[in-house]
Amino acid sequence: MAGYIAGHIVYHAVTERPMRKGQHILLGQENHNGVYARVMDKLEAVNRIYASPAAYAGAELEHHTAVALRELAMEEVRQRLFPQYPSRMACLFVSQTLEEAEKWAAFFANDCRRPTYHIVKLRVRGRLFAGDACNCFDGTPDKPENLRLAENYWHNGPNGEGRSIKELLADGDILVEEIVREINKNI
């Protein structure tokens, strides 16, 4: 599913800020997403951990720090082995079907208690990558292990969960074609 797909229709559960019909979202090398901002906020902590991993062995890391360790490993592996795929730090996480987007919206609104605005229908002119969200992992002070797990993610390897949750990464020029459903929870 990677590669340039002109006008591919996907759906998105909107959580960070509302979108509007006709809005263009540009994501790619020069245009990052919220994941990028959160990772950069933790870069100093990541550098400290990797400078002295033994000092953090067995310690429970703060959630956003563990995510930053994961996402930096994911990006390092992507750049080295899979540059044809969108970056997780410069993409929009979308769903192939409306039903999948509805499940993500319910998860964000009910399980995560995140502000969830609506579900939108999008037209993507850019790249897509279909991954397994169950292959995401909590980053640890063990950089080689983080890199190994990141490579498994990009290869769509086994996840050990016994189930798969599809996530699509989209970059390029993304057009909001329609607000499909208003949700407006936890706002």
Side-chain angles (χ1 to χ4, degrees), residues 17-107:
R17 59 186 161 273
M19 292 182 176
R20 67 185 192 301
K21 184 177 178 178
Q23 177 180 354
H24 279 268
I25 302 148
L26 298 174
L27 291 166
Q29 245 179 347
E30 301 299 318
N31 300 296
H32 300 103
N33 61 17
V35 174
Y36 176 85
R38 290 187 291 278
V39 167
M40 291 302 112
D41 283 347
K42 294 296 180 176
L43 194 54
E44 192 174 305
V46 167
N47 290 334
R48 273 195 314 271
I49 290 167
Y50 281 157
S52 302
Y56 295 89
E60 188 166 329
L61 299 173
E62 183 268 334
H63 170 73
H64 291 294
T65 302
V67 168
L69 288 160
R70 173 189 71 216
E71 294 302 334
L72 289 166
M74 293 278 217
E75 184 61 10
E76 184 175 331
V77 169
R78 185 197 69 80
Q79 286 179 358
R80 185 169 33 90
L81 299 175
F82 304 97
Q84 71 276 21
Y85 296 155
S87 168
R88 291 175 55 86
M89 293 193 288
C91 75
L92 193 62
F93 293 83
V94 299
S95 299
Q96 195 166 16
T97 67
L98 177 57
E99 293 75 26
E100 289 171 359
E102 288 170 337
K103 289 177 185 175
W104 281 109
F107 173 72

Side-chain angles (χ1 to χ4, degrees), residues 9-11 119-123 175-180:
I9 298 296
V10 295
Y11 297 87
I119 296 173
V120 294
K121 178 180 174 182
L122 305 169
R123 182 172 301 277
L175 172 67
V176 178
E177 285 207 336
E178 177 184 348
I179 307 294
V180 175

